[in-house]
């Protein structure tokens, strides 16, 4: 079982649609959570951190449920420029103090006119 | 300011050839990470440096992979006797302080080196 699992995608949606991505993680000791965005042939870039209380940044809303080990990302009023792969990322903090990121496989979003 | 840079951006190697991939992290960043991203997959952790110390190399797939950061800034990932399964994008990331929490540990990625082994 992969440590971070995401919806397989791709998601094809029209402009203006609302789309939701789901993610589950296996390690209950995981400590922080993120969504990264990766455009085709580009590097991943941090989209937003995910907090237990839920957080919103414009059209993007992220939720975390630690009990269910579940993370979500909601995009409202999707734009053509939202087309990308969305990576669910979990941060493990080791006893020696440093932390490493574990990435999901990513879910591709294609927004069409 | 300059971000993380990597070179070369593209590398074609014949099977069995040795390759060296370079990463220049953001100036002043203590932590440096290498990831391997195969086609259609998310990045997978290879190794981690805190300054010049390699604290975790658990993700290196075989002893053909070797990484160093001798002066605590630039890092090189070397792959010896390359195999076709080594074909992937190799991403480098750096963070100001990987032992801190919050924004200090946000990882910034370089553009990657796309390696193709024939």
């Amino acid at each position: 079982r992969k440590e971070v699992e995401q919806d397989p995608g791709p998601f094809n949606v029209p402009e203006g649609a609302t789309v939701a991505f789901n993610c589950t993680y296996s390690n209950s000791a995981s400590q922080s959570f993120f969504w990264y965005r990766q455009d085709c042939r580009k590097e991943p870039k941090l989209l937003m951190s995910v907090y237990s209380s839920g957080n919103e940044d414009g059209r993007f809303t992220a939720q975390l449920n630690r009990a269910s080990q579940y993370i979500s990302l909601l995009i409202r009023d999707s734009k053509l420029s939202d087309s990308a792969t969305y990576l669910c990322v979990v941060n493990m903090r080791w006893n020696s103090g440093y932390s490493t990121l574990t990435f999901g496989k990513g879910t591709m979003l294609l927004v069409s006119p | 300011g300059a971000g993380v840079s990597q070179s070369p951006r593209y590398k074609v190697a014949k099977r069995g050839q040795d390759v060296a991939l370079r990463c220049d992290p953001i100036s002043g960043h203590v932590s440096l990470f290498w990831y391997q991203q195969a086609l259609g997959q998310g990045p997978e952790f290879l190794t981690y440096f805190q300054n010049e110390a390699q604290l975790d190399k658990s993700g290196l797939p075989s002893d053909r992979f070797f990484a160093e950061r001798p002066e605590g800034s630039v890092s090189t990932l070397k792959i010896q006797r390359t195999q076709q399964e080594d074909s992937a994008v190799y991403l480098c990331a750096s963070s100001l302080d990987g032992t801190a929490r919050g924004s200090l540990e946000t990882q910034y990625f370089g553009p990657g080196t796309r390696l193709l082994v024939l």
Side-chain angles (χ1 to χ4, degrees):
Chain A
R1 181 185 171 191
K2 279 195 69 75
E3 292 181 49
V4 180
E5 296 208 48
Q6 297 186 237
D7 293 328
F11 284 21
N12 288 281
V13 303
E15 268 187 296
T18 295
V19 60
F21 301 122
N22 301 309
C23 171
T24 56
Y25 60 95
S26 61
N27 193 328
S28 59
S30 301
Q31 297 194 348
S32 46
F33 310 88
F34 309 92
W35 284 99
Y36 274 69
R37 170 192 169 128
Q38 186 171 27
D39 292 284
C40 188
R41 294 183 167 268
K42 299 285 189 181
E43 70 273 21
K45 291 186 178 176
L46 179 65
L47 179 66
M48 58 197 303
S49 301
V50 188
Y51 304 114
S52 297
S53 54
N55 48 303
E56 189 174 308
D57 182 2
R59 299 181 292 109
F60 298 82
T61 301
Q63 297 274 353
L64 166 66
N65 184 321
R66 284 187 183 268
S68 303
Q69 295 179 201
Y70 168 84
I71 306 161
S72 66
L73 176 69
L74 185 76
I75 305 176
R76 291 181 300 279
D77 187 25
S78 51
K79 312 289 185 192
L80 294 176
S81 57
D82 294 335
S83 296
T85 295
Y86 291 82
L87 297 160
C88 177
V89 186
V90 170
N91 193 349
M92 270 295 307
R93 178 166 295 278
W94 303 103
N95 288 336
S96 47
Y98 66 91
S99 57
T100 57
L101 300 181
T102 300
F103 286 78
K105 195 173 175 179
T107 303
M108 184 183 292
L109 172 66
L110 300 170
V111 181
S112 53
Chain B
V4 178
S5 61
Q6 292 185 245
S7 61
R9 293 292 311 278
Y10 302 91
K11 176 69 179 177
V12 179
K14 291 183 180 178
R15 193 174 57 165
Q17 186 179 348
D18 296 351
V19 298
L21 313 180
R22 177 187 167 109
C23 172
D24 279 88
I26 294 173
S27 178
H29 277 199
V30 169
S31 296
L32 186 146
F33 305 81
W34 283 98
Y35 295 86
Q36 179 190 59
Q37 186 171 22
L39 190 64
Q41 304 293 319
E44 295 208 358
F45 170 78
L46 294 177
T47 187
Y48 164 68
F49 288 87
Q50 187 179 112
N51 295 307
E52 69 280 1
Q54 188 175 23
L55 297 189
D56 189 338
K57 53 182 181 179
S58 62
L60 296 176
S62 77
D63 59 7
R64 296 186 295 103
F65 287 71
F66 171 77
E68 59 183 4
R69 193 186 185 197
E71 296 178 0
S73 54
V74 170
S75 177
T76 304
L77 176 67
K78 297 179 179 177
I79 309 174
Q80 297 177 321
R81 304 181 303 281
T82 51
Q83 303 294 313
Q84 286 184 319
E85 63 263 27
D86 300 335
S87 297
V89 177
Y90 291 85
L91 293 161
C92 175
S94 70
S95 67
L96 188 58
D97 182 354
T99 61
R101 291 180 181 272
S103 60
L104 290 178
E105 65 179 346
T106 298
Q107 293 188 24
Y108 299 88
F109 283 81
T113 294
R114 193 171 296 271
L115 174 65
L116 177 62
V117 182
L118 301 176

